[in-house]
Amino acid sequence: MIAYENLQQVDKEFMDEYTHVFQEVLHGGWYILGKQVQQFEQSFANFCGVEHCIGVASGLDALVLSLRYFAFKPGDEIIVPANTYIASILAIVQVGLKPVLVEPDINTYNIDPKRIEECITKKTRAILVVHLYGKMSDMDPILQLSAQYDLKIIEDCAQAHGAKYNGQKAGAFGDFGAFSFYPTKNLGALGDAGAITCKADILNNSIRTLRNYGSSAKYVFDEVGYNSRLDELQAAFLSVKLKYLDKITAHKQRLAAVYLRELKSDFILPVVQPRQEDVYHIFAIRHPERDRLRAHLLANEIGTEIHYPIPPHQQKAMKGILSDGGYPISEEIHRTIISLPISYGHTEEDINRVVEVMNKFL
Ligand SMILES: Cc1ncc(COP(=O)(O)O)c(C=O)c1O
């Protein structure tokens, strides 16, 4: 069986180092906000090419804290792609703001910059861009709109560690970059973890306060904050994995190249754009008979996933929050998309086998 993902396989190479840093933290006797977190924050900021990184408890929290920082008024509007993972929308709702869905570009699956302007109102405060599947959103026109209408930019980088646009990395474009280190991500922890990147000192200081109960000094509380701290163990594991992130990315890019070269033209493949470097967190293709294709792959012992089967506006949780119609492009994507195996744990042989089975699909 070629499983869609196998974390035991992915993490095998790092086990000895994980065990070593686990012992170090255990014997150090300091488990929350210590030197491991500081070290990881510094290394990840360097990796992204930004001044600051603040470790938090999850990718969702990274989005929530970023939005909270601006103290927008209840009901203010945040633009967000209609086909994103639900967390981007939950974050907006959880801080009392209104998500305004914008359809994606059918070729890139990222927010379509041409459709943003018609959704901007007097209440629009920010654009939450999502670099879905490991591909950067088209940042030039988005930054232009942000300057023109004085809108904040938050990047949801949960799927895009190290992805580049014009040579600049995800998390280095917006006011904030929000990262998830959920175990299956390209940079995955051994549990929940996340981080926020930013350039300005004032943003850095405020997020550090917000993540720790709103505390500016011990037992002094300036704001109604959160308990959303990255813990020492996860930071230590992440520092180990970060050393290998470029290698992990290169491996996934190699596997993607096999798919792009070998899959027959019946499948709609991810677009490759000249000024972008995709990191292929997910290798998503489309086919009108997606469910039959998935069954064909499973019958040949190949696991796949669907990111995602139900669009946010059709989720029960979003009843009364999002209008449940008017997003035909998102619906088309959700109906036809399927994610093929592309893990650090897969070999080129695995991918050749997937290609062989795919190309026999009638
Ligand atoms: C696009 C996107 N945003 C946000 C998140 C939330 O991250 P986490 O699961 O760490 O809270 C995810 C996680 O899967 C994601 O894919």
Side-chain angles (χ1 to χ4, degrees), residues 41 54-72 87 90-92 94-95 97 128 154 175-179 194-197 203-214 223-230:
E41 288 176 339
I54 306 107
V56 296
S58 70
L60 175 61
D61 278 7
L63 291 166
V64 167
L65 268 62
S66 299
L67 287 163
R68 251 298 298 277
Y69 165 80
F70 294 110
F72 297 134
L90 286 181
I92 298 170
Q94 285 179 5
V95 296
L97 303 171
L128 199 169
I154 295 157
D175 296 277
F176 291 116
F179 287 85
I196 298 171
T197 52
L203 305 187
N204 172 46
N205 296 337
S206 302
I207 296 290
R208 284 181 190 284
T209 304
L210 269 181
R211 79 166 169 189
N212 192 24
Y213 292 114
E223 289 201 65
V224 179
Y226 300 80
N227 174 355
S228 183
R229 302 171 296 215
L230 175 62

Side-chain angles (χ1 to χ4, degrees), residues 57-61 63 84-88 130-132 156-159 178-182 185 192-194 281 308:
S58 70
L60 175 61
D61 278 7
L63 291 166
T84 185
Y85 180 59
I86 197 77
S88 329
V130 183
H131 309 312
L132 206 63
D156 183 336
C157 309
Q159 303 188 4
F179 287 85
S180 164
F181 304 123
Y182 183 79
K185 303 299 191 210
D192 275 314
H281 168 55
Y308 300 92

